[in-house]
Amino acid sequence: MTKGIGMMKMGSSWKLGLGALALVGLAGCSGGDDDTAGNDTTQTGGNDQASLTIGSTNFPEQLILANIYADVLEGDGVNVSTRLNLGSREVVFPALTNGEIDLLPDYTGALMTYLDQDEAHADARNEEDVMAALRDVLPDGLEALDASPAEDRDALVVTRETAEKYNLETFSDLAPVSGELTIGAPPETRTRDVGLPGLKRVYGIEFANFRSLDAGGPLTRGALANGDIDVARMFSSQGAIAENNWVALRDDKNLEPAQNIVPIARSEALTDEMRDSLNRVSAALTTEDLQAMNHRVEIDKEDPAQVASEWVDEHMQEIQQGVDAH
């Protein structure tokens, strides 16, 4: 996999002119997958009156989604810049609120929980309630566009051997034995409500040890495969789970709310045409699409920008017509 997005689509109306774009004012970002780093590019469209900067957090699915948004908008004539792989939500969301980026792909429940500091919407769990709650807690000047049916949930993953040893199928099964186990997860898992605090509150899960790793990336996957950790915090759409015959435990008490893919943007940066295009992308995207694309990037080591480009080419008629064929 190459570190940049150095490619140009040929044989179609989609053309990417790519150049370096320096990242300004976004220091202290934690790293994601090493082989998907350094994706700061500029994509130049044909309309000087419309421009947009798209950001993302630091794992492959985010790079795929951000590139899908960029390709579709660039095809509409928007001048698109991308600042990708910036770090966790704690880094990237402030970049959106202060105008350093204009748009990012996010997850309805995770962002709602992050913003709902007084837990006014703590009971929101299904797709409709979570989306309504998210729109209620978004800061002024930001908007959530249509959520996609595609969903990617946080997952606690164990090897098949660990699952059989402890008879693990659900989070509840994990509680009685968690004191013997080590979890590997990104550092923000220590403080996020759907991380260690929520696991303790809802399930009584308290791990013996916590290893600060990446967001389901090569460090986490390697540690689980090598037995350096017993439980890995990953994402349900990751191709590595099925590829390795690992077991994703079921959140049987619904600690985590719905996690549908949703574009979040600064309202002043959007036109109605941009909103329409992004909403059509969301309608076309499925969970199965995410799983397939993630497999290509994580397992097959393909360039996330190329994977995104091919998805856009495959679904372009559907996106243009606004028809959900799934």
Side-chain angles (χ1 to χ4, degrees):
M1 180 185 300
T2 59
K3 284 194 174 183
I5 311 180
M7 68 167 192
M8 184 173 289
K9 300 185 184 74
M10 303 301 291
S12 74
S13 62
W14 298 85
K15 298 181 180 179
L16 297 179
L18 305 178
L21 179 66
L23 177 61
V24 179
L26 284 169
C29 302
S30 58
D33 279 6
D34 292 340
D35 51 6
T36 56
N39 285 277
D40 292 352
T41 68
T42 302
Q43 303 178 359
T44 304
N47 184 353
D48 292 337
Q49 300 306 308
S51 63
L52 200 76
T53 299
I54 302 175
S56 83
T57 58
N58 58 341
F59 56 94
E61 182 173 282
Q62 283 274 298
L63 304 183
I64 294 166
L65 291 168
N67 276 291
I68 286 174
Y69 296 167
D71 281 10
V72 170
L73 292 174
E74 190 271 341
D76 289 342
V78 180
N79 290 331
V80 178
S81 300
T82 58
R83 294 183 177 182
L84 309 184
N85 213 30
L86 300 179
S88 67
R89 178 176 293 106
E90 286 79 358
V91 173
V92 180
F93 194 78
L96 180 67
T97 60
N98 67 28
E100 293 181 61
I101 59 176
D102 302 310
L103 171 71
L104 57 83
D106 216 314
Y107 305 87
T108 53
L111 183 56
M112 182 271 290
T113 302
Y114 171 75
L115 294 172
D116 188 27
Q117 296 298 313
D118 59 2
E119 299 185 355
H121 302 283
D123 293 335
R125 284 295 178 268
N126 65 43
E127 180 177 342
E128 294 77 15
D129 290 347
V130 169
M131 193 63 184
L134 173 59
R135 287 186 164 131
D136 185 58
V137 297
L138 273 176
D140 291 342
L142 298 186
E143 64 181 271
L145 301 180
D146 289 354
S148 172
E151 188 176 25
D152 184 2
R153 302 178 69 85
D154 290 353
L156 295 183
V157 178
V158 298
T159 64
R160 181 68 58 180
E161 293 74 18
T162 297
E164 292 175 353
K165 178 180 179 180
Y166 294 105
N167 296 314
L168 301 179
E169 294 181 358
T170 67
F171 285 17
S172 290
D173 295 335
L174 189 60
V177 299
S178 59
E180 305 174 37
L181 306 178
T182 295
I183 184 172
E188 58 268 19
T189 304
R190 287 185 181 273
T191 56
R192 287 185 179 176
D193 185 67
V194 293
L196 297 188
L199 289 171
K200 180 179 179 180
R201 185 186 75 254
V202 175
Y203 288 99
I205 292 174
E206 295 187 79
F207 292 102
N209 299 290
F210 178 91
R211 287 196 59 184
S212 182
L213 300 172
D214 51 14
L219 296 179
T220 300
R221 300 194 301 269
L224 185 62
N226 295 334
D228 296 329
I229 60 175
D230 304 296
V231 181
R233 210 290 259 135
M234 297 177 63
F235 301 103
S236 62
S237 64
Q238 286 190 253
I241 298 173
E243 181 75 13
N244 291 283
N245 196 29
W246 291 338
V247 177
L249 304 180
R250 181 166 52 85
D251 180 8
D252 52 307
K253 294 183 180 178
N254 296 317
L255 167 63
E256 186 180 25
Q259 300 288 3
N260 299 86
I261 308 298
V262 62
I264 305 294
R266 294 193 313 114
S267 297
E268 68 179 14
L270 295 182
T271 65
D272 288 341
E273 290 75 15
M274 292 180 195
R275 291 182 179 91
D276 186 55
S277 290
L278 291 167
N279 286 338
R280 292 180 180 191
V281 169
S282 291
L285 189 68
T286 69
T287 300
E288 292 74 22
D289 291 338
L290 289 180
Q291 292 168 338
M293 289 188 287
N294 285 333
H295 189 283
R296 290 178 60 185
V297 174
E298 290 182 14
I299 307 304
D300 301 333
K301 301 302 180 183
E302 296 185 41
D303 185 346
Q306 181 63 36
V307 171
S309 173
E310 292 177 11
W311 184 90
V312 171
D313 287 344
E314 180 181 350
H315 293 83
M316 183 45 57
Q317 183 176 3
E318 180 181 344
I319 294 168
Q320 289 174 337
Q321 293 176 349
V323 176
D324 185 358
H326 297 281

